[in-house]
Amino acid sequence: TIAEALDQPKEADLSYRHAIRINPRFSNAFVNLGYLYLDHDYPEEALQVLKAGVAVNGEDASLHNALGMAYNLLKQYDQAIPHFEKAMKLKADLWVALYNIGVSYAAVDKRKKAEAALSRFARVARGRKDIDQAYVRAAYDKIAELRDDSSAGQSVPPSRIR
């Protein structure tokens, strides 16, 4: 929204909540409100909003991806992974969810699963103009880190890719 672009989070919050009241099936309002909370370091509030969105619109891939991100920021990676996987099932080309799956598996030290997801993401996303190439480089860096035995057991910071 314009309010969010102008860094007016209170007004943006009110706008998204108004949109949800008018049309509770409008998933984008839940997703944007959730990201607003995540961006302002309120992951618990984001979690509540996104759970409510999934309860109403359980077949929306973007909602599941956003909910997974909220769990990641709370370091609840085992809760995040099923939502990223559900997002990929619902929308097979939501590559951001695949990246997030890889980061989450790395965080819980499931190295082979992390490497497989990140490798697939990097193969698909490399050179695509619709995907920020910084995430492709980050995926390759994480793969290299996962292959390096000296980094065993180190945690991975949660992803903020949308």
Side-chain angles (χ1 to χ4, degrees), residues 74-149:
L74 291 166
K75 299 187 184 326
Q76 296 176 19
Y77 306 109
D78 289 328
Q79 296 287 328
I81 291 167
H83 289 286
F84 294 137
E85 290 174 341
K86 176 79 173 187
M88 284 297 300
K89 281 183 186 171
L90 292 169
K91 189 173 181 195
D93 65 344
L94 186 63
W95 301 114
V96 64
L98 185 58
Y99 176 87
N100 289 333
I101 289 168
V103 169
S104 298
Y105 275 133
V108 294
D109 207 29
K110 293 184 179 176
R111 299 161 87 76
K112 288 184 181 187
K113 287 184 174 190
E115 186 176 340
L118 291 168
S119 294
R120 183 170 170 227
F121 168 79
R123 277 193 313 273
V124 170
R126 188 173 185 183
R128 287 183 53 168
K129 295 191 185 305
D130 61 328
I131 298 175
D132 185 344
Q133 294 301 294
Y135 292 106
V136 176
R137 289 187 298 278
Y140 282 123
D141 289 346
K142 184 52 59 192
I143 292 165
E145 182 182 317
L146 290 166
R147 290 178 178 168
D148 180 10
D149 289 339

Side-chain angles (χ1 to χ4, degrees), residues 12-34 37 49-50 52-53 56-57 63:
D13 179 281
L14 292 172
S15 294
Y16 294 135
R17 289 184 177 281
H18 180 70
I20 291 167
R21 273 193 304 279
I22 291 171
N23 183 1
R25 301 212 39 91
F26 183 45
S27 296
N28 286 346
F30 285 102
V31 170
N32 290 336
L33 183 57
Y37 287 144
V49 166
L50 295 166
V56 176
N57 307 311
L63 268 169

